[in-house]
Amino acid sequence: MPGASPADRLLVALDVETLAAAGGLLGRLQGVVTGCKIGTQLFTAAGPAAVEAARTRGLRVFLDLKFHDIPNTVAGAVREATRLGVFMLNVHASGGAAMMRAAAEAAAKAAADFAVPRPLCLGVTVLTSLDRRALQRDLGVSSTVEAHVLRLAERAREAGLDGCVASPREIGLLRRALGDGWVIVTPGIRISPAEGGSRPDDQVRVATPRRALAAGADYLVVGRPIIAAPDPAAAARAILEELA
Ligand code: C5P
């Protein structure tokens, strides 16, 4: 995404319990951010109304529900997400090539059927909560995390997906292997100590906004450093300034 503005790149994770809390946060961030991420907590609590609340405020929505099911079921879910008007959504790359192809095709067909823009479809590679030991012991994968991330991202691209979610640690590897057209979204962003700093919370592989951008990320997902800040708008502005 060369040339994109800092505001285009920042997606605030609306990890809150209720529609009212999401609305309050969106109100405080009005005019500062232009994109958000709605994940399983808020979507389970509030459903499509959460997407609607963000869209009516003019925000682009990344619907982070990480679909993982048989191709027909994932295609149906992607069709409904596309109907909601989200600009980006994701599926688990470990669901296999046929499932990812079904997702990509469903997004294109639904966009045409409902006359909305086709959402970007991302593949989730290896959850950042898994390390090499868990990959081997729990999933029977003997390669390194990095090699498995790259393999899944390559399968995702062959299946017609647009990009993937990656930890700051894998951005460089993916960018070099998959080129500039591949969309990379990264969570695990924490503000530089020089700018006031933010706690890592439960994130292990973290990067500052500037480093993530320099490594080749297109979009940065930021949750707690913004939503748990005393002044969320000021925290978002600080991140945008670091990106500028
Ligand atoms: O609060 P924080 O900035 O850590 O929030 C990061 C967001 O990104 C959360 O919504 C989390 O679910 C999401 N995420 C993540 N790691 C991944 C994928 C998504 O932290 N690998």
Side-chain angles (χ1 to χ4, degrees), residues 95-168:
M99 179 268 249
M100 290 191 280
R101 250 193 322 276
E105 287 166 11
K109 180 164 190 312
D113 289 350
F114 305 129
V116 295
R118 181 182 74 82
L120 293 170
C121 296
L122 307 181
V124 177
T125 57
V126 176
L127 293 173
T128 47
S129 49
L130 299 174
D131 59 12
R132 186 170 188 181
R133 189 156 164 261
L135 211 54
Q136 181 149 32
R137 188 191 52 199
D138 303 341
L139 304 180
V141 174
S142 57
S143 50
T144 62
V145 171
E146 289 73 18
H148 197 53
V149 164
L150 185 56
R151 178 185 305 127
L152 288 172
E154 285 169 341
R155 293 297 92 75
R157 187 163 70 167
E158 287 161 15
L161 298 194
D162 303 291
C164 66
V165 182
S167 87

Side-chain angles (χ1 to χ4, degrees), residues 17 27 41 63 96 108 125 186 192:
E17 285 183 16
Q41 180 183 16
L63 190 62
T125 57
T186 191
S192 329

Side-chain angles (χ1 to χ4, degrees), residues 11-15 37-40 62 64 66 90 124 126-129 165-167 185-190 199-203 206 221-227:
L11 302 173
V12 179
L14 297 179
D15 293 331
K37 187 195 81 132
I38 293 175
T40 48
F62 167 26
D64 175 26
K66 301 183 178 70
N90 56 8
V124 177
V126 176
L127 293 173
T128 47
S129 49
V165 182
S167 87
V185 178
T186 191
I189 300 300
R190 292 298 178 265
R199 293 180 312 162
D201 302 306
D202 55 353
Q203 296 282 15
V206 299
V221 171
V222 185
R224 287 159 292 181
I226 293 176
I227 69 171

